Amino acid sequence: YSRRRAVLGRGQAGIFRELAGILREWPFWPWGLHTDNGSEFLNHHLVRFCRENGLEFTRSRPYRKNDNAHVEQKNRQFVREIVGYERYDSPKAVAWLNTLYGLLDTYVNLFLPMRKVIAKERRGDRVIKRYDVARTPFQRLIEAGVLEPKVQSLLEQQLKTINPLALHRQIEALLSKGPDEFMAPENELQIATI
């Protein structure tokens, strides 16, 4: 299961606000938070938040980019390959990104099956990987048994009522417009600039 939010700038308060929002919408309460070593993450706001909410706070080791390989893979697959490498530095662009991410997160978590590596075997200079059966992140959460019945029921209802093709078309339409043609509701622009 994954979620994305864009933030205008790298200020600690903005990062903290969006992280708190993601956790409020998360389908179960996580055991901890793991971040990289950016100054937007290593701060008193986040440490205090973790302590107050019973979350274990861990971070990557300095200069060890492979510590966050799973996060970096999701960043490439669901951010860079979708929106590219441009700099989105206006309230309107952030509102566009967050609208796009809201649709994309629903599509990925409910409808996009993924396979996970379950074994690796080295044969000479080649590595042979074996994968499990492809399942959506939502199906994996059900199998893990971490969802409360009420939350599971809400997600199952969402799964039944959303047309994945229509959702995909919405994502494509939003991408084709880009942030310049995006008309965000006023409250989204205000939230993005707080």
Side-chain angles (χ1 to χ4, degrees):
Y1 202 82
S2 61
R3 296 278 316 206
R4 280 148 282 282
R5 290 292 293 172
V7 179
L8 190 61
R10 291 174 42 172
Q12 295 173 358
I15 298 291
F16 175 71
R17 181 187 67 245
E18 294 301 331
L19 180 59
I22 287 173
L23 290 175
R24 273 193 308 275
E25 297 170 1
W26 204 253
F28 59 94
W29 195 253
W31 62 268
L33 294 175
H34 181 79
T35 70
D36 65 15
N37 290 308
S39 60
E40 66 272 24
F41 296 117
L42 299 179
N43 59 65
H44 296 292
H45 291 294
L46 195 55
V47 172
R48 185 180 68 244
F49 177 82
C50 288
R51 194 177 309 122
E52 289 171 356
N53 291 285
L55 298 171
E56 184 177 331
F57 178 69
T58 58
R59 66 186 181 103
S60 302
R61 296 172 293 175
Y63 309 107
R64 302 288 180 125
K65 65 181 181 179
N66 288 342
D67 278 1
N68 281 338
H70 182 70
V71 173
E72 294 302 334
Q73 174 215 359
K74 297 292 184 191
N75 189 37
R76 178 188 57 79
Q77 185 178 16
F78 297 122
V79 176
R80 297 297 171 218
E81 288 182 4
I82 303 293
V83 297
Y85 288 86
E86 284 193 44
R87 186 177 181 93
Y88 297 99
D89 56 2
S90 70
K92 188 175 184 178
V94 170
W96 174 79
L97 278 172
N98 285 329
T99 301
L100 176 64
Y101 290 157
L103 296 172
L104 184 64
D105 290 342
T106 301
Y107 182 72
V108 167
N109 291 324
L110 294 180
F111 300 107
L112 195 63
M114 298 172 205
R115 298 183 316 164
K116 293 191 179 251
V117 176
I118 55 173
K120 292 182 184 179
E121 180 184 341
R122 179 170 288 283
R123 291 186 188 163
D125 55 350
R126 294 186 63 199
V127 175
I128 308 299
K129 297 178 184 177
R130 287 198 351 245
Y131 296 90
D132 67 355
V133 175
R135 292 186 296 284
T136 65
F138 175 56
Q139 289 169 325
R140 291 182 189 277
L141 289 179
I142 291 172
E143 290 172 8
V146 296
L147 297 176
E148 292 181 16
K150 183 179 177 182
V151 173
Q152 183 172 331
S153 172
L154 287 171
L155 288 171
E156 285 171 346
Q157 185 62 33
Q158 191 178 20
L159 182 67
K160 290 176 187 173
T161 58
I162 295 175
N163 179 340
L165 183 57
L167 181 59
H168 191 270
R169 286 180 179 149
Q170 277 184 283
I171 293 168
E172 291 296 324
L174 202 53
L175 283 169
S176 68
K177 285 182 183 177
D180 295 332
E181 297 177 40
F182 177 66
M183 296 301 292
E186 284 300 315
N187 62 343
E188 279 194 49
L189 290 176
Q190 290 170 356
I191 290 170
T193 59
I194 290 176

